[in-house]
Amino acid sequence: MAGTSINLHPKAKAQGFSARFVCLTGKTLKGDLHPIRLQLIHKLKVKRYTTGEACTEKQWDADTGRMKPRAVGAAQVNGLLNALEAEVVGIVDALVIHGALSFESFEARYRNPKATGDLLAYMAKLEKDYTAEGRIGYAGTYRTAASALSRLTNGKPLRFSDLTTRKLEDLERMLKAEGCTGGGIAAYMRAIRATVNKAIKASLMGADQYPFEKAAHAGYSMNRLKSTATPRALTAKDMDKLKRFPFDKAPHLAASVRLFLFSYYADGMNFQDIARLKPKDLQDGRIFYTRKKTGRPINIPVEGVLSDILAAFDHDGPYLFPYLGAEHVTEMQQWNRIRKCLKQVNADLKQAAKLLGISANLTTYVARHSAFTAYYRAGVPLEHISELARHSSPAVTQLYLR
């Protein structure tokens, strides 16, 4: 079918990459029509994409790769094919320039044209993908980072090519003006950096456009954004007050205080992991669970205080604790329910702290810090505490201690 190939970049042709529109006469649709497809050939492999159009065999001109001008509907169909051809040429040109020409990189741009040009749209796609995978927390990090960028651009799209070092510095200044801490800004930047890395891997962005600093490349540096977080652990005296909480005098706070104590005695178990515990996780005097944040399996002994706390939470339900129910089926439903319950628990803990004369900002996360600090005060080596906490290094654990 000579003469039907789309005129692509010379370097694309040199790599054995060609594109044309074909009428698949071997496939017949209703009305004796045949589908018109975009056909790519690369290194002798063939891939076809639908155009959504069709015509009869007599209406198709193989020499031009278009419908014959006098055929019914030719003007509309050929106009669409002309637009698709321009899009194909633009995609191939960009991929050749970035040295990333392949079926996969072409498809990423052709299938999702909006996300390939707009960083914010691409981040929205990543958020949607993570949500579909049940990774709601990760989805949230992309959503909040995209929201910050959207505030910076006043809601306008942000092209990949416009995400420069200067743009990231502008974002940092804006977030600081909004009262965000260094550690908080770093969290935003890590999400944006992850997006950039994914975009480069998908050939949506050139490696030469990378806006962050790396070994042999000047760019935006996050080194100055080190967290200034202070240890949140309770003093031994305040922890003792909680252990002796007057449950009879404040029964409305009892469940939340016991939850805090359970986390403390369970080596700082995270609230979302506690909420997801099921009766089957309790076996042979131990709790076996997989930490939601890291996916690592953990097991802890259940004896003494932990047994008493579990007994206090005894109820009819599919979970050990009464935060989730049978109606919370999907990951999103569980996530939303846990967030709602956590908000209430933390509000209760603040009331409990006021009642006991504890000045610290009491939250469930303080239980985790306090648990590791208690081990440290008892002389347990930092390396062992770091292993219990499943931290990447003892240096991270040190931030928890006071």
Side-chain angles (χ1 to χ4, degrees):
M1 294 187 291
T4 62
S5 291
I6 296 173
N7 188 24
L8 300 177
H9 196 288
K11 289 186 178 180
K13 296 178 182 178
Q15 294 178 41
F17 196 100
S18 65
R20 67 183 67 198
F21 292 109
V22 296
C23 181
L24 300 183
T25 55
K27 185 177 179 66
T28 304
L29 307 176
K30 187 177 180 180
D32 202 30
L33 299 177
H34 306 288
I36 300 172
R37 300 281 171 83
L38 169 65
Q39 176 176 286
L40 302 183
I41 299 178
H42 188 214
K43 297 179 180 179
L44 303 181
K45 293 184 179 180
V46 179
K47 197 152 193 174
R48 295 190 179 103
Y49 299 89
T50 182
T51 64
E53 301 297 335
C55 66
T56 66
E57 185 173 1
K58 290 183 179 180
Q59 290 175 325
W60 184 251
D61 186 345
D63 290 333
T64 62
R66 299 289 190 277
M67 285 182 66
K68 293 175 181 177
R70 294 186 179 182
V72 176
Q76 179 179 347
V77 173
N78 288 341
L80 182 141
L81 297 181
N82 290 338
L84 287 177
E85 178 172 324
E87 181 183 348
V88 169
V89 170
I91 292 173
V92 172
D93 282 350
L95 293 175
V96 167
I97 292 172
H98 295 149
L101 185 60
S102 68
F103 277 152
E104 292 75 16
S105 57
F106 178 89
E107 182 166 347
R109 294 192 174 214
Y110 187 72
R111 294 282 193 193
N112 194 3
K114 184 179 180 182
T116 60
D118 179 10
L119 174 69
L120 299 180
Y122 184 61
M123 293 182 81
K125 175 184 178 298
L126 293 176
E127 178 197 345
K128 184 178 179 181
D129 291 345
Y130 278 124
T131 299
E133 293 173 9
R135 302 171 70 181
I136 310 301
Y138 282 101
T141 62
Y142 285 94
R143 181 175 60 255
T144 54
S147 177
L149 282 170
S150 182
R151 295 198 300 277
L152 181 68
T153 64
N154 294 316
K156 296 179 181 178
L158 178 63
R159 294 181 302 176
F160 283 109
S161 58
D162 291 335
L163 185 68
T164 60
T165 298
R166 178 170 293 181
K167 184 71 72 177
L168 292 172
E169 290 170 346
D170 290 342
L171 177 62
E172 180 186 327
R173 281 191 287 271
M174 182 197 80
L175 291 171
K176 283 182 177 177
E178 292 178 350
C180 197
T181 64
I185 296 172
Y188 284 105
M189 295 301 180
R190 283 194 296 271
I192 295 170
R193 185 175 62 186
T195 302
V196 168
N197 288 333
K198 290 177 184 296
I200 291 175
K201 187 175 181 179
S203 301
L204 303 176
M205 188 176 185
D208 59 332
Q209 295 176 308
Y210 191 72
F212 291 90
E213 181 182 60
K214 55 184 180 180
H217 173 77
Y220 177 80
S221 173
M222 293 193 290
N223 290 338
R224 61 182 176 276
L225 299 177
K226 293 188 186 237
S227 175
T228 55
T230 55
R232 304 182 193 180
L234 292 178
T235 63
K237 183 178 180 180
D238 284 344
M239 193 64 229
D240 190 54
K241 290 179 181 178
L242 268 176
K243 292 176 182 178
R244 294 184 290 105
F245 186 82
F247 294 108
D248 56 331
K249 294 182 179 179
H252 62 295
L253 303 177
S256 294
V257 173
R258 286 193 175 103
L259 182 283
F260 181 96
L261 293 173
F262 181 88
S263 175
Y264 173 80
Y265 286 112
D267 294 341
M269 190 185 298
N270 186 278
F271 180 76
Q272 66 169 323
D273 293 324
I274 294 174
R276 288 184 167 89
L277 290 176
K278 295 183 176 181
K280 66 179 180 62
D281 297 326
L282 186 57
Q283 303 175 30
D284 301 323
R286 301 187 75 86
I287 288 178
F288 295 82
Y289 73 101
T290 299
R291 193 174 181 211
K292 186 67 176 175
K293 182 177 180 180
T294 62
R296 295 182 64 176
I298 301 173
N299 73 84
I300 57 172
V302 177
E303 53 192 12
V305 179
L306 277 182
S307 295
D308 293 340
I309 294 174
L310 283 175
F313 278 101
D314 187 37
H315 70 291
D316 292 327
Y319 295 88
L320 285 177
F321 291 84
Y323 303 111
L324 293 177
E327 68 275 20
H328 304 114
V329 179
T330 68
E331 188 68 29
M332 181 61 79
Q333 288 172 335
Q334 292 179 5
W335 175 264
N336 288 335
R337 174 63 179 171
I338 288 172
R339 288 185 66 189
K340 182 178 180 180
C341 291
L342 178 59
K343 184 176 181 180
Q344 182 59 56
V345 168
N346 283 334
D348 289 347
L349 290 176
K350 285 174 175 54
Q351 288 189 51
K354 186 176 181 180
L355 178 66
L356 296 173
I358 296 175
S359 61
N361 181 24
L362 199 60
T363 67
T364 59
Y365 204 55
V366 172
R368 184 170 173 81
H369 283 248
S370 299
F372 301 140
T373 297
Y375 280 123
Y376 189 63
R377 290 171 185 153
V380 176
L382 183 60
E383 291 75 13
H384 182 59
I385 300 173
S386 182
E387 185 178 337
L388 280 175
R390 271 68 177 179
H391 287 154
S392 57
S393 72
V396 175
T397 308
Q398 188 68 58
L399 295 173
Y400 279 64
L401 310 178
R402 60 179 296 168

